[in-house]
Amino acid sequence: MAMAISSLLRPWPLAMATMMVLIIQAQGITRHYDFNVQMANVTRLCGTKSIVTVNGQFPGPELIAREGDRVHVRVTNHVAHNMSIHWHGIRQLTTGWADGPAYVTQCPIQTGQTYVYKFTVTGQRGTLWWHAHISWFRATVYGAIVILPKLGVPYPFPAPHEEVPVIFGEWWAADTEDIMSKALKVGGAPNISDAYTINGLPGPLYNCSAKDTFKLKVTPGKTYLLRLINAALNDELFFSVANHTLTVVEVDAVYVKPFTVKTLVISPAMTTNVLLTTSPVYPNANFYMAAAPYSVIRPGTYDNTTVAGILEYHKPGSPSTPGLDKTLPLFKPTLPFFNDTKFVTSFTTKLLSLASKQYPAAVAQSVDRRFFFTIGLGTLPSPKNMTCQGPNGTQFAAAVNNVSLVLPSMALLQSHFTGLSRGVYASNSPAMPLSPFNYTGTPPNNTHVATGTRLLSLPYTTSVELVMQDTSVLGIESHPLHLHGYNFFVVGQGFGNYDPTNDPAKFNLVGPVERNTVGVPAGGWVAIRFLADNPSVWFMHCHLEVHTTWGLRMAWPVQTGPKPNEKLLPPPSDMPKC
Ligand code: C2O
């Protein structure tokens, strides 16, 4: 060890150092992580709860890599539940087996078993995150993925003084698995959460919680890079820091054209990097950094609380203070009204690709296949001899073009790869609604959805355009839709029903934002484009966990190309079995 360090410190001849940098730049290094899934007792909001964690940490460990690095994460399951972990937003080029969604790309890791996820970080830089991808375990099993640019490559914005992950979460006093399975049993809606958290801490606005407050200690006149991640299960969040502005520089590990706001909105699954520059002089005050939900659904059916952390200035010349100086004034930000869709639209339309020479926006100018998906809630009839707790005694369901996806008891990718899909899934999910209706008007009487394991197959390098249309069947709602294995470009969005004749003329095909999760606007539509150049089976779903549970999910098997680097690698030998 001592030798390794001294050889690192020894001043190398400059040429050799440069050469090493170039080699590492070209090839990257392999980063090894050990993730032990284990129980831990955590006390929040006046109560102690036993939760599933990685390595006993909540939130879980941060995963750091540089663009071009290989990452090996050895996950060992020590808990009594099945587990799987998803590297949210990582493109997984040719390594679909490492993507993580249970019953889509893998069977879950059973108690006592180990699976090593192996992937390379290619063409991405910024913030992503990892989370459990089975049942509702992601409520406590999540953490940040920090992707640094290649060695020697600077950020396309001023280098920050410090970088800080700020992860929003959602906390239930009761056990989330109990809540979810009870809701499914009665066909009703699951109980709403009791608090939001910042880096696992609910903060001073909840009972027994003041000591569990995230504090960001800052120095005057410096710039901080906040790596924001919304890991909440069911809620989109507004976020603001009192008396400070936030400059958005990246979303979903893609640089954007910088713009400055006082408040931003971040949906579950999304990541947003912002620069926060502190006051040049010591302000003699502290500042709340607060988040509260954006929701257009009926008040009372979502958690309408506020999480706050504190931005605390280090007083120049004074020794670092152990506690918060309570004699100082504490400023609070004003967040938008809970259903301020106008604010959300004005924020999302500011997001554009950086589209520079170094970071171009490679949006497809032509399209091979067009799809139109209705995205929304519906109902399923109650089982025989039972009255469910959904609308009019039905059970809640959610669907894409009326199909509520049922996951099989083996992995979809397994049956796709072996060619044994028969009896596991059908490739006939509708490319458009079977019977078009006024999607955002008065809903038709028959709102029932159908269950099935129906997917949509794509030939290699299909250029896809997908319009996703929110429906008013059970009330309009905004849905953060996430596509695995790809980034896509958000070429257009609007309210009301999508107009295939006139709306495409307004598409931005020059520098639209590129990301992996997009909000289907409440009572509106969004159009995305992506190139199906990554063979595997890719999950796509609403990242509001309650909607995923109700079936708002589908999957795209993508065929392989002719060249060796256009094929999915064979399954790793330690692939978990069902
Ligand atoms: Cu954040 Cu299916 O994933």
Side-chain angles (χ1 to χ4, degrees):
M1 192 59 190
M3 231 192 76
I5 288 174
S6 70
S7 70
L8 275 177
L9 294 177
R10 191 184 309 144
W12 286 350
L14 200 63
M16 190 157 130
T18 320
M19 209 172 78
M20 281 303 290
V21 167
L22 287 176
I23 289 171
I24 293 173
Q25 240 181 27
Q27 304 179 340
I29 59 167
T30 306
R31 312 224 178 203
H32 296 271
Y33 286 89
D34 260 309
F35 275 27
N36 287 295
V37 180
Q38 60 193 72
M39 302 305 294
N41 287 330
V42 170
T43 303
R44 296 285 185 277
L45 310 179
C46 331
T48 300
K49 194 177 150 189
S50 175
I51 59 168
V52 181
T53 67
V54 166
N55 299 349
Q57 290 168 246
F58 174 68
E62 188 175 303
L63 205 146
I64 303 177
R66 276 189 194 282
E67 184 188 342
D69 286 350
R70 289 168 300 282
V71 178
H72 291 183
V73 191
R74 168 185 295 274
V75 178
T76 306
N77 183 4
H78 302 283
V79 303
H81 316 276
N82 281 346
M83 193 48 54
S84 81
I85 295 190
H86 169 51
W87 318 94
H88 180 110
I90 295 279
R91 286 221 45 206
Q92 301 287 5
L93 286 158
T94 71
T95 52
W97 302 104
D99 192 38
Y103 304 108
V104 178
T105 59
Q106 68 166 94
C107 295
I109 307 168
Q110 295 174 23
T111 307
Q113 290 185 348
T114 296
Y115 177 45
V116 186
Y117 292 86
K118 294 182 180 172
F119 54 87
T120 302
V121 181
T122 308
Q124 301 182 284
R125 64 298 283 181
T127 303
L128 292 172
W129 62 301
W130 56 266
H131 61 79
H133 209 304
I134 179 165
S135 196
W136 278 31
F137 288 107
R138 77 174 181 86
T140 57
V141 179
Y142 62 84
I145 301 179
V146 170
I147 308 173
L148 301 170
K150 288 185 177 177
L151 260 186
V153 177
Y155 291 129
F157 45 82
H161 173 64
E162 229 177 84
E163 305 187 2
V164 192
V166 174
I167 316 178
F168 303 107
E170 198 166 0
W171 181 263
W172 279 260
D175 185 87
T176 41
E177 290 305 300
D178 288 350
I179 289 171
M180 195 267 308
S181 54
K182 185 174 150 263
L184 278 183
K185 213 176 276 160
V186 299
N191 290 351
I192 58 176
S193 53
D194 298 292
Y196 298 107
T197 54
I198 293 179
N199 293 341
L201 304 167
L205 306 179
Y206 299 99
N207 281 340
C208 318
S209 190
K211 64 174 194 331
D212 297 321
T213 301
F214 170 68
K215 287 196 190 112
L216 179 58
K217 301 236 179 172
V218 295
T219 307
K222 300 273 189 221
T223 297
Y224 294 79
L225 178 69
L226 309 186
R227 297 176 174 272
L228 309 177
I229 297 167
N230 188 345
L233 273 80
N234 298 323
D235 300 85
E236 310 189 66
L237 295 167
F238 293 118
F239 174 69
S240 184
V241 181
N243 298 40
H244 291 73
T245 57
L246 306 167
T247 301
V248 180
V249 292
E250 176 252 295
V251 295
D252 296 359
V254 186
Y255 295 132
V256 297
K257 272 204 174 65
F259 63 96
T260 302
V261 291
K262 290 186 77 164
T263 302
L264 57 80
V265 61
I266 182 166
S267 303
M270 292 179 178
T271 55
T272 306
N273 275 7
V274 296
L275 297 174
L276 177 146
T277 300
T278 54
S279 154
V281 292
Y282 178 68
N284 257 308
N286 291 308
F287 306 91
Y288 270 149
M289 33 204 305
Y294 158 62
S295 179
V296 302
I297 61 172
R298 190 159 48 84
T301 58
Y302 62 93
D303 177 354
N304 193 18
T305 62
T306 303
V307 57
I310 296 176
L311 186 75
E312 189 183 358
Y313 277 76
H314 177 67
K315 193 171 187 170
S318 81
S320 85
T321 42
L324 188 70
D325 185 347
K326 293 222 175 84
T327 61
L328 293 180
L330 185 55
F331 287 97
K332 301 182 173 75
T334 323
L335 292 169
F337 205 52
F338 70 91
N339 61 2
D340 195 344
T341 298
K342 231 178 159 166
F343 177 91
V344 172
T345 310
S346 92
F347 178 78
T348 54
T349 49
K350 285 191 187 93
L351 290 166
L352 295 168
S353 274
L354 186 56
S356 63
K357 208 162 145 222
Q358 199 176 356
Y359 303 102
V363 54
Q365 300 297 307
S366 65
V367 169
D368 301 319
R369 294 274 327 258
R370 290 196 154 79
F371 299 91
F372 182 85
F373 289 177
T374 59
I375 301 288
L377 303 191
T379 57
L380 281 165
S382 299
K384 249 227 215 81
N385 304 326
M386 184 178 165
T387 307
C388 284
Q389 290 177 6
N392 304 319
T394 59
Q395 51 177 316
F396 274 114
V400 173
N401 281 345
N402 260 49
V403 179
S404 181
L405 183 83
V406 177
L407 289 172
S409 50
M410 69 187 291
L412 292 170
L413 180 54
Q414 221 177 329
S415 53
H416 166 75
F417 187 78
T418 54
L420 302 172
S421 68
R422 194 187 299 204
V424 179
Y425 68 83
S427 297
N428 61 356
S429 195
M432 54 182 57
L434 294 178
S435 41
F437 61 98
N438 179 2
Y439 307 109
T440 51
T442 310
N445 285 332
N446 182 0
T447 57
H448 286 175
V449 303
T451 53
T453 308
R454 299 166 64 183
L455 317 184
L456 273 168
S457 234
L458 295 170
Y460 186 68
T461 62
T462 306
S463 170
V464 175
E465 182 179 285
L466 167 62
V467 176
M468 293 182 282
Q469 170 78 58
D470 181 36
T471 71
S472 53
V473 168
L474 289 184
I476 60 164
E477 193 165 349
S478 111
H479 298 276
L481 257 289
H482 169 50
L483 174 61
H484 287 227
Y486 294 93
N487 283 340
F488 49 73
F489 290 94
V490 184
V491 296
Q493 66 171 64
F495 288 96
N497 296 338
Y498 173 66
D499 174 353
T501 317
N502 296 309
D503 284 329
K506 295 175 232 151
F507 285 177
N508 176 357
L509 301 179
V510 180
V513 68
E514 177 184 349
R515 57 188 324 170
N516 64 56
T517 305
V518 69
V520 179
W525 55 270
V526 66
I528 64 170
R529 284 190 184 183
F530 66 95
L531 183 68
D533 61 354
N534 193 10
S536 183
V537 174
W538 300 111
F539 207 24
M540 193 178 96
H541 58 94
C542 179
H543 221 285
L544 303 181
E545 208 54 44
V546 53
H547 293 173
T548 316
T549 306
W550 286 340
L552 220 175
R553 51 194 182 187
M554 66 89 66
W556 310 84
V558 176
Q559 310 302 327
T560 55
K563 302 210 192 91
N565 62 339
E566 297 170 351
K567 297 195 192 312
L568 174 70
L569 295 170
S573 57
D574 60 343
M575 208 63 221
K577 297 199 172 41
C578 280

